Amino acid sequence: MGFARTCSVTLVGVEGVVVEVQADLEPGVAAFTLVGLPDKSLTESRDRVRAAVVNSGGEWPQKKLTVGLSPASVPKGGSGFDIAVACAVLGASERIDPRVLSDIVMIGELGLDGRVRPVRGILPAVLAAADAGFEQVVVPECAAAEAALVPGVSVLGVRSLRQLVAVLTDEPVPDEEPQEPDRPDPLMAGLRDLGGGAATGTRGGPGGYDQGHDLADVVGQHTARTAVEVAAAGGHHLFLEGPPGAGKTMLAERMPSVLPPLDREASLEVTAVHSVAGLLPPGRPLIDTAPYCAPHHSATMQALVGGGPGTARPGAVSLSHRGVLFLDETPEFSSKALDALRQPLEAGHVVIARSAGVVRFPARFLMVLAANPCPCGRFSRTDDRCECPPSAIRRYQARLSGPLLDRVDLRVEVDAVTRRELSAVGARGETTTVVADRVRSARERAAARFHGTPWRLNSEIPGRELRSRWQAAPGAMDEAERSLERGVLTARGIDRVLRVAWTVADLSGHDRPDAGDVALALQLRTGVPRGVPMAIGAGV
């Protein structure tokens, strides 16, 4: 009787669970039994592993073979167990010393010819192995850079099962055919999600800024530009309402460029989510710029918050974690999908319960909503070209529920661009670099203020802590409190006004919000003019 064991990792959401892969050989009729709650793709590994071992020059044991995946109560899926199963079988048949395998975590899929293919979720899997105390991992060669992001773990990248067996048995490592640089790597085929294009990916240029989307390209829109700067500095959600062609989409697309580069912790969080989704950019194992996700208005609730058949997959709110979620034509989204955003907006994560288990995805994002004022898009206070009846306008605007809008800190009306603004020469606004520097300085002030607390941004501070520890200047909140008494603001709304006021104070260099900072915050939330200039810093 032969026995060997090694380890692999199964993913539950973006969290990994270390699984012990055990192989047992007994005399009897040749058979291969796989136990431990495997799914369909894992069950099929029996045929993949057998073919890979034989085509790699190994001998398949002609005995009764049982492979167990422990803990047996945890559902397991995916093809990432292949090389662990193959090595456990070879260890049980004494082709590999079983003692060498017991302290190694192996992640990767096997082709029928023995090549090792990458799988999704390498980074969270290696993080789980490191948390469990393992110091050695084996991954596909093309995913070694992603696995190496985890400190304290020795990573071995292999291209074939032959190479791995040679390393584990101290034999000469065979050379594999090098990949031609001008041809796509067949090992990467099928790893990315279908349709995972620019709407769900990341973009960034040198220094973390996207050079193709500059704020200086936006004509006019001084109030909206100020709102974008405040939203980026404090992590506040933003609602842009205006006619078609006013620049709402342009402003949203430039929001990621204004956000500062991600720190190490946030980069690992974002990379883990995109690795599970199969959306890591080629050649960039670590995402260090804010992601941008803009789903179409026909997206379902599962596409937005995550889920789907079988194992739950991350949705748009998780793909935009630590970045920007842009919902263009927001009233055209289904009300069910929009209301599903209310919980992640408050909690910063999504919990999806299914019969197979419960998964948790991070979802702390900056939401930007854009909408027309009416079905035809021409309704405004200063223009009478709208032909929509009042009932149609009310129905259209009512598609956005009050509880959802109450969670949006900044609400700005974007006016149509005039001919004079379009034809003006030399009237460009501030560039992305200038605004991003001011945003970064404001975030540094907030980080110094919140040192020693679990919070980073003004938008994350609980209302109780905000009112007790970080109060505005005496008398600064009088107008906001009167708005609460008149029913213009809710209790949540007045807390959000104070959060925005702190962000305005950070941008302006004030020690704490004064009456002018609170008035600007009120104007940005309610849209009612308060007689304060809509410019911060150098202005526009």
Side-chain angles (χ1 to χ4, degrees), residues 80-374:
F81 290 85
D82 285 4
I83 58 175
V85 171
C87 288
V89 171
L90 293 175
S93 62
E94 299 182 352
R95 174 67 177 87
I96 302 175
D97 187 350
R99 294 172 297 180
V100 177
L101 301 174
S102 58
D103 295 327
I104 302 178
V105 173
M106 302 184 180
I107 308 161
E109 176 187 332
L110 283 175
L112 299 184
D113 57 354
R115 290 182 300 170
V116 179
R117 295 173 55 93
V119 294
R120 296 171 180 153
I122 290 289
L123 177 59
V126 177
L127 285 171
D131 291 340
F134 290 89
E135 297 179 354
Q136 291 182 304
V137 296
V138 175
V139 298
E141 184 182 60
C142 52
E146 180 183 349
L149 296 173
V150 182
V153 176
S154 175
V155 178
L156 172 62
V158 295
R159 193 169 182 84
S160 69
L161 181 61
R162 291 194 310 153
Q163 286 185 339
L164 177 57
V165 172
V167 171
L168 295 177
T169 56
D170 291 330
E171 298 175 357
V173 179
D175 294 329
E176 298 289 344
E177 287 187 31
Q179 177 65 30
E180 297 182 21
D182 296 332
R183 298 187 62 183
D185 190 347
L187 295 178
M188 302 298 292
L191 183 63
R192 292 174 59 86
D193 269 347
L194 295 177
T200 55
T202 58
R203 58 174 188 242
Y209 301 139
D210 182 4
Q211 305 298 326
H213 294 78
D214 199 312
L215 268 177
D217 299 333
V218 180
V219 177
Q221 309 303 356
H222 303 315
T223 300
R225 288 170 58 95
T226 299
V228 166
E229 182 175 345
V230 173
H236 306 289
H237 306 304
L238 173 63
F239 177 34
L240 300 172
E241 184 179 42
K248 303 186 293 295
T249 302
M250 289 183 66
L251 288 165
E253 288 178 340
R254 283 148 181 78
M255 179 77 80
S257 305
V258 178
L259 296 175
L262 303 178
D263 58 25
R264 180 72 177 184
E265 180 183 356
S267 295
L268 290 177
E269 292 176 0
V270 174
T271 303
V273 175
H274 284 248
S275 177
V276 169
L279 292 173
L280 280 182
R284 289 185 58 191
L286 182 67
I287 298 177
D288 56 1
T289 56
Y292 174 79
C293 187
H296 190 260
H297 60 73
S298 62
T300 62
M301 183 180 70
Q302 289 78 13
L304 282 181
V305 301
T311 304
R313 302 291 297 277
V317 297
S318 298
L319 294 176
S320 56
H321 178 60
R322 301 294 181 187
V324 177
L325 174 66
F326 176 47
L327 302 182
D328 199 6
E329 306 294 345
T330 309
E332 302 299 333
F333 283 80
S334 71
S335 58
K336 183 179 180 181
L338 289 177
D339 287 337
L341 299 175
R342 287 151 58 176
Q343 186 264 343
L345 285 174
E346 289 291 325
H349 62 265
V350 175
V351 177
I352 302 173
R354 294 290 185 269
S355 59
V358 178
V359 298
R360 182 180 184 272
F361 294 116
R364 190 167 296 281
F365 55 91
L366 195 162
M367 182 177 67
V368 180
L369 307 178
N372 297 326
C374 67

Side-chain angles (χ1 to χ4, degrees), residues 360-390:
R360 182 180 184 272
F361 294 116
R364 190 167 296 281
F365 55 91
L366 195 162
M367 182 177 67
V368 180
L369 307 178
N372 297 326
C374 67
C376 76
R378 295 193 294 266
F379 174 75
S380 70
R381 299 173 183 174
T382 58
D383 198 339
D384 58 355
R385 292 183 301 165
C386 176
E387 299 177 355
C388 301

Side-chain angles (χ1 to χ4, degrees), residues 31-64:
F32 189 169
T33 305
L34 184 64
V35 297
L37 290 184
D39 70 351
K40 181 67 174 176
S41 61
L42 183 50
T43 302
E44 292 175 348
S45 69
R46 295 178 299 184
D47 300 317
R48 291 195 301 270
V49 169
R50 182 187 293 109
V53 169
V54 172
N55 291 329
S56 298
E59 183 178 349
W60 188 258
Q62 298 301 315
K63 296 182 180 180
K64 180 182 178 181

Side-chain angles (χ1 to χ4, degrees), residues 483-495:
S483 297
L484 176 65
E485 294 174 352
R486 294 195 299 267
V488 177
L489 293 176
T490 63
R492 178 192 283 124
I494 198 169
D495 285 344

Side-chain angles (χ1 to χ4, degrees), residues 437-474:
D437 289 341
R438 206 155 53 231
V439 167
R440 184 173 61 252
S441 298
R443 289 203 172 194
E444 290 173 354
R445 293 190 186 97
R449 184 168 62 251
F450 301 140
H451 180 70
T453 71
W455 309 298
R456 305 180 183 182
L457 303 175
N458 292 318
S459 60
E460 300 174 358
I461 307 301
R464 174 177 54 82
E465 297 287 342
L466 192 69
R467 293 187 296 271
S468 61
R469 297 177 58 180
W470 292 289
Q471 299 177 349

